[in-house]
Amino acid sequence: MNLILLSPDDLTGDNRACISDPRRLGHLHNVHRSTPGDLLTVGIQGGAMGKARLTELTAERAYFTLETMDEPPPAPLPVHLVLALPRPRMLARTLEHVTALGVKDITLLHTKRVEKSYWQSPELRTEKIHQHLVLGLEQARDTQLPNVTLSKGFRPFLEEQLPSLLKQYRGLLAHPGMPHACPRDVKYPTLLLVGPEGGFIAWEVEQLLAAGCEGMHLGPRILRVETAVTALLSRLF
Ligand code: SAH
C-alpha cells in the first residue's frame, strides 16, 4: 500500500478523514508501523493525491488531517483492454496488475475457450472487482478507478460493441503466430485484445481481423495471460 486511497465514506469533512477497515488499519499498524504525527501519502478516490498527518491510531480507527492535496494522479494509458475472462485467481491478479499499470477501461469478454463456470465466480461480484482495482491503485499511487464491463457473448461484442470501439481506437489482437510483431511506444488510443488461457480459436481470430483489428505477436514464447498483458502494455506504451 504505497498510497492510502480514501473513499468518499472515509472523508469526515473539514480536511479530515477516518478509516476503520481491518485491511488498511492492519497495514498501518503492521507494515508501516505508523505512529501519530506521521505524514503519509494519501489520495482521494477520483481526485488529488498528497500528504496527510496521522493524528490518532487505535485498534479500531485511524484519524488523519489532510495537509497538501495538490498532486494530480499519474496519466492513464491510452488503452481499452479487452480480456477474455481468465480463471478467477488469474483474473484477480491481472486486474491488479493492469490497474497498477494505468489501464482505465477493461472489458471482460466471453470466448469459446473461456469456461462458462468462470462467469459464476464470486470474483466477478462488483465488490470483489472493486477490491482488486483498489489494490492496484494503492500499489501504483493512483486515484482513478478503471471501468470494468462484462461482455458475456462473443458475437454480440463483435457485432454491437467492436465496430464503434474501432472508430475510437486502433485494434490490436495479441495472438501467437501472427505475422507482425507487437508495435512499440505507440501514441494512439489502442484497443488491446488478449485471449483466454487456451487462446482465441481460429474463427474468432478471423472475425476480429475481418472487423478491422490487426494481429500481432510477442515472440515465440507463449506467455500466461497475466504475463502477456504486462509485457504487451509495457512494450506498447
Ligand atoms: N495456447 C494459446 C495461448 C494462450 S496464451 C495459443 O497458442 O494461442 C493467452 C493469451 O495471451 C493469448 O491468447 C494471447 O492473447 C496472449 N499471448 C500469450 N503469449 C503471446 C505471444 N507470444 N504473442 C502474442 N500474444 C500472446
Side-chain angles (χ1 to χ4, degrees):
M1 192 165 77
N2 295 311
L3 164 120
I4 300 168
L5 189 66
L6 301 170
S7 72
D9 288 346
D10 300 326
L11 301 172
T12 52
D14 208 15
N15 280 334
R16 283 169 202 279
C18 170
I19 64 175
S20 55
D21 61 299
R23 183 182 66 83
R24 286 180 299 172
L25 272 181
H27 202 89
L28 283 176
H29 279 289
N30 306 322
V31 182
H32 284 303
R33 299 193 182 279
S34 305
T35 49
D38 285 359
L39 208 49
L40 296 163
T41 303
V42 302
I44 295 172
Q45 203 176 291
M49 314 193 301
K51 295 286 178 195
R53 184 85 57 191
L54 181 65
T55 53
E56 193 183 335
L57 181 64
T58 69
E60 288 84 32
R61 283 191 169 73
Y63 295 90
F64 298 93
T65 310
L66 308 185
E67 297 205 345
T68 46
M69 296 299 294
D70 53 6
E71 210 185 312
L77 293 184
V79 70
H80 183 136
L81 175 65
V82 178
L83 184 68
L85 183 67
R87 89 186 106 102
R89 283 187 54 206
M90 178 88 79
L91 171 68
R93 290 199 300 263
T94 306
L95 285 176
E96 254 178 76
H97 290 322
V98 303
T99 304
L101 286 164
V103 176
K104 299 298 173 198
D105 285 294
I106 303 167
T107 296
L108 299 174
L109 177 65
H110 185 70
T111 68
K112 176 82 178 159
R113 294 205 176 120
V114 170
E115 276 200 35
K116 290 224 171 72
S117 65
Y118 294 170
W119 290 103
Q120 313 309 324
S121 159
E123 288 296 332
L124 277 182
R125 283 201 225 118
T126 315
E127 328 77 78
K128 273 292 200 173
I129 289 187
H130 181 81
Q131 270 177 23
H132 298 302
L133 304 179
V134 165
L135 290 175
L137 294 180
E138 290 176 345
Q139 172 59 43
R141 289 193 174 166
D142 189 355
T143 64
Q144 308 284 343
L145 280 165
N147 298 311
V148 178
T149 36
L150 309 185
S151 228
K152 297 186 185 178
F154 182 79
R155 208 185 271 271
F157 170 79
L158 189 71
E159 291 170 0
E160 293 155 30
Q161 289 169 263
L162 188 59
S164 60
L165 285 168
L166 290 179
K167 289 192 185 125
Q168 305 165 56
Y169 298 94
R170 176 169 168 193
L172 293 179
L173 166 66
H175 187 61
M178 287 279 113
H180 296 289
C182 175
R184 293 169 199 267
D185 206 11
V186 303
K187 301 285 186 259
Y188 42 80
T190 301
L191 186 78
L192 174 64
L193 296 102
V194 177
E197 285 149 289
F200 289 110
I201 60 168
W203 179 81
E204 290 163 344
V205 173
E206 274 166 34
Q207 296 297 312
L208 293 168
L209 296 179
C213 296
E214 299 160 56
M216 50 84 166
H217 70 80
L218 257 188
R221 296 171 193 274
I222 308 288
L223 304 172
R224 276 175 191 268
V225 172
E226 62 180 319
T227 318
V229 173
T230 308
L232 287 160
L233 291 172
S234 31
R235 175 151 160 158
L236 283 167
F237 305 105

